[in-house]
Amino acid sequence: MPATNNNITLAVLAGGRARRMDGEDKGLVTVAGKPMISHVLQRFAADAAQTLIIANRNQDAYGELGHPVFSDELEGFQGPMAGMRTALRHCDSPYLLVLPCDVPMLPGDLLHKMLDQLQREDAQIAVACDDEREHSVILLMKSDLGPSIDEFLANGDRKILLWYNQKRLTKVIFPGQAEAFANINTAEQRDELEQRLLANKDL
């Protein structure tokens, strides 16, 4: 499939508290010689017309990566949906690809496969899945869903699955690729993923 630059905005979410990482800012934790978020940007920023970083701490450090940085407009670390809300307010393209900062080994064909299925099925949202589960913060969505998120959050809801299951949803399966969706929540997982990345020629 040809590049989708004019259709896609990429938003990388780096706004969490990372309690299981002793409060470290996960996106800036070094993995295989560079910040974890850099692995995500390296894989997907070239496919997007616009790349946004959503971060609630260390904005200057994130800004050095060369992309606009925005903080959640809702106070109190209200979760990924608050980050999605912020990203949609700054999205100038028909589609928004949402990725967390702590998944450095995502499949290289992730975007193209999700966009193809979303368009074929006339869905509003595509969520990535492996053989074992769906990954609710790895989403491709139509950028006109901002008002729906605003209403959902205004009602006090925060669960992404509850929100997107109310929409025209398609689940995009990546069979046999569970390891590609592994994320880092602890120092031990960081060490394990670092070894995988160092063994991967596609760094």
Side-chain angles (χ1 to χ4, degrees), residues 40-83:
V40 179
L41 294 170
Q42 178 179 311
R43 284 176 179 263
F44 298 103
D47 291 329
Q50 177 187 25
T51 295
L52 313 173
I53 298 173
I54 311 301
N56 293 318
R57 299 181 285 168
N58 302 311
Q59 285 88 351
D60 290 344
Y62 282 112
E64 292 176 2
L65 299 174
H67 302 287
V69 180
F70 299 98
S71 301
D72 290 345
E73 297 172 9
L74 299 175
E75 297 180 356
F77 293 87
Q78 296 196 35
M81 288 204 70

Side-chain angles (χ1 to χ4, degrees), residues 1 3 21 37 39 41 51 58-59 63-64 67-68 70 74 77 79 85 114 125 137 142-143 174 176 182 196 201-202:
M1 180 179 290
M21 288 285 287
I37 192 173
H39 293 280
L41 294 170
T51 295
N58 302 311
Q59 285 88 351
E64 292 176 2
H67 302 287
F70 299 98
L74 299 175
F77 293 87
R85 175 184 186 269
M114 293 179 76
I125 302 170
V137 192
K142 291 188 174 181
S143 60
F174 293 82
R196 293 179 196 165
K201 296 180 181 179
D202 198 24

Side-chain angles (χ1 to χ4, degrees), residues 81 84 125 134 136 139 148-149 151-153 155-169:
M81 288 204 70
M84 289 159 48
I125 302 170
E134 60 192 79
S136 59
L139 297 171
S148 171
I149 292 181
E151 181 179 358
F152 188 80
L153 292 173
N155 288 333
D157 294 310
R158 296 291 179 270
K159 294 182 179 179
I160 296 177
L161 279 78
L162 180 60
W163 173 70
Y164 68 51
N165 278 308
Q166 299 172 3
K167 307 301 176 185
R168 296 196 310 275
L169 176 72

